[in-house]
Amino acid sequence: VSRCGYCGAPEHGSQPGEVRITSVGSGGIFFRTNTSVRWKIDSTGKLLPELTDTYDLGAASNRIKDLYVSGTLYLNGTPIT
């Protein structure tokens, strides 16, 4: 079952070919496979894995090209400057 405040409805200002997803209430947006939540965007806008040390971004054969960050980047708990 999917629930969406609005999903790409033209009357809510989306453009042709654009998909907009909003949450209802303050629960955030959840990304699931089957019935398991894998990732969520919480009500403050943070992208969070549902379980710590469980999910990857990218893979050896499907890598993310560039990562731009502002602030401190942590790898295995160590700040990278």
Side-chain angles (χ1 to χ4, degrees):
V1 174
S2 88
R3 185 171 176 212
C4 177
Y6 63 87
C7 296
E11 62 272 16
H12 292 289
S14 65
Q15 302 299 315
E18 180 181 60
V19 175
R20 291 186 183 191
I21 301 171
T22 62
S23 65
V24 176
S26 61
I29 298 170
F30 297 85
F31 297 87
R32 301 174 186 265
T33 55
N34 298 318
T35 59
S36 298
V37 173
R38 306 299 180 170
W39 292 89
K40 64 185 169 187
I41 299 176
D42 72 7
S43 61
T44 67
K46 293 182 180 117
L47 174 63
L48 303 168
E50 183 65 11
L51 300 171
T52 299
D53 292 332
T54 303
Y55 306 112
D56 298 323
L57 287 177
S61 61
N62 295 82
R63 297 180 296 177
I64 296 169
K65 182 177 183 246
D66 295 312
L67 180 63
Y68 297 89
V69 299
S70 176
T72 305
L73 174 65
Y74 291 88
L75 294 176
N76 290 325
T78 303
I80 305 299
T81 55

